[in-house]
Amino acid sequence: MQEHHKFDIYGFLSAKRGHGSHKCSEMEIVMDYKGKKILVIIPAYNEAENIVQVVEQMRSVAPWCDYLVVNDGSTDKTPAICEGQGFRYLDLSINMGIGGAVQAGYIYAYKNDYDIAVQMDGDGQHDAAYLENLLEPILADEADVVIGSRFLEKEGFQTSASRRAGINILSALIRITTGKRIRDVTSGFRAVNRMFIEIYSKDYPMDYPEPEAIVAAIMHLGRVREVPVQMRAREGGVSSITFKKSIYYMIKVTLAILICRLSYGVRRGKRQ
């Protein structure tokens, strides 16, 4: 069964301020894009080879966004690099997994009154040049959750054939259980509005969270939309997903999707 992190929103962040490594607790929110305050959440675990390029590209392409690197208990030089570069970062004292790191970013976004939050991986695969593409459907009030999809136009890095097969299986499962077709269900390049900043700050899947987070969004009557993006191969370092972990991933995520869907029961009606 997929575990979730559930925190008291204010207590969680207050607890982190006393450790001396929280470099963004007093950050002023000054950036905005078309009148909206936007936070880019960059989870990072052992991304010493990539994090500088990721942050610098994001700041160059989208200077109107605030950002927050969430160092997920890295054992390499990631936190030292963030410190030395003067990056805005949250230093988690233990490795909480991608779900915990992303949720920490959502908690921060919720507490600091951001209107839109964007997830962007710290490994260099997500191209900040597509940030505006993710934001536009939310700004136009056409979507609550926007997913950057590699598979709509099939350009750029497309992942391996075996992983694509697994993604197709999960996509089919989500369509069967929710009635909504999402092609790139494992994409971690996504944006959400204020409604889902609050929802995800309170409850977010832990391991391999992207597909289950989609189901949760649909069950909350959220408008989920995909937009085409191009992704890149990992810039440096090694992916944490091995062949054995891929098998584990498929089993666990399949069960998590089914359990998540069943936990919401029958949802009818229209969004308010």
Side-chain angles (χ1 to χ4, degrees):
M1 180 177 176
Q2 188 85 312
E3 297 180 38
H4 291 229
H5 292 299
K6 295 183 179 180
F7 298 113
D8 172 77
I9 293 171
Y10 296 97
F12 172 70
L13 286 186
S14 296
K16 292 298 174 184
R17 288 175 181 155
H19 291 196
S21 56
H22 191 306
K23 299 301 174 184
C24 53
S25 59
E26 303 301 329
M27 183 179 73
E28 293 184 3
I29 303 171
V30 296
M31 305 295 184
D32 69 79
Y33 177 72
K34 298 186 178 180
K36 300 293 184 181
K37 296 174 182 176
I38 299 167
L39 179 70
V40 177
I41 301 166
I42 307 174
Y45 176 67
N46 290 348
E47 295 293 356
E49 295 184 36
N50 304 311
I51 195 63
V52 172
Q53 182 174 344
V54 169
V55 174
E56 287 185 349
Q57 189 215 9
M58 195 284 300
R59 292 196 298 190
S60 174
V61 171
W64 31 266
C65 282
D66 284 335
Y67 71 91
L68 177 69
V69 177
V70 183
N71 173 49
D72 188 23
S74 296
T75 57
D76 67 357
K77 295 182 179 180
T78 298
I81 290 171
C82 289
E83 174 76 22
Q85 294 288 327
F87 292 162
R88 296 164 181 156
Y89 75 101
L90 171 67
D91 197 10
L92 303 182
S93 58
I94 60 172
N95 176 246
M96 299 182 69
I98 181 64
V102 169
Q103 188 182 17
Y106 279 125
I107 293 170
Y108 186 84
Y110 180 73
K111 176 174 168 48
N112 288 283
D113 298 319
Y114 283 95
D115 301 299
I116 300 173
V118 181
Q119 297 172 220
M120 191 171 79
D121 288 353
D123 60 9
Q125 289 188 299
H126 299 159
D127 189 343
Y130 290 93
L131 281 172
E132 290 185 77
N133 299 51
L134 291 176
L135 297 173
E136 286 305 324
I138 294 176
L139 293 170
D141 196 26
E142 297 171 352
D144 304 299
V145 177
V146 180
I147 300 168
S149 175
R150 296 162 282 187
F151 307 141
L152 292 180
E153 296 182 351
K154 298 182 179 180
E155 296 179 348
F157 178 65
Q158 293 291 295
T159 199
S160 66
S162 59
R163 288 189 183 183
R164 179 65 189 272
I167 291 169
N168 288 340
I169 292 171
L170 295 177
S171 176
L173 181 60
I174 289 175
R175 187 174 188 180
I176 291 169
T177 56
T178 69
K180 178 73 174 179
R181 184 182 183 188
I182 302 294
R183 292 174 176 85
D184 200 351
V185 297
T186 64
S187 171
F189 196 20
R190 53 184 66 182
V192 307
N193 63 8
R194 179 67 182 175
M195 171 183 170
F196 277 92
I197 288 175
E198 179 176 5
I199 288 170
Y200 287 156
S201 72
K202 295 176 179 177
D203 190 9
Y204 198 76
M206 186 173 68
D207 290 332
Y208 316 117
E210 293 86 4
E212 190 180 348
I214 292 172
V215 175
I218 295 169
M219 291 299 98
H220 278 94
L221 304 181
R223 298 165 297 171
V224 182
R225 177 174 169 180
E226 289 184 279
V227 296
V229 300
Q230 291 186 33
M231 295 190 188
R232 301 176 290 232
R234 167 180 276 272
E235 297 287 343
V238 179
S239 173
S240 62
I241 302 179
T242 63
F243 176 76
K244 288 184 178 180
K245 284 187 177 180
S246 295
I247 301 299
Y248 167 79
Y249 170 90
M250 285 300 299
I251 295 171
K252 185 168 186 178
V253 174
T254 297
L255 291 173
I257 289 172
L258 294 173
I259 292 169
C260 179
R261 178 61 185 88
L262 290 171
S263 71
Y264 285 100
V266 178
R267 290 267 172 138
R268 293 189 175 92
K270 299 179 181 179
R271 56 182 281 117
Q272 299 299 314

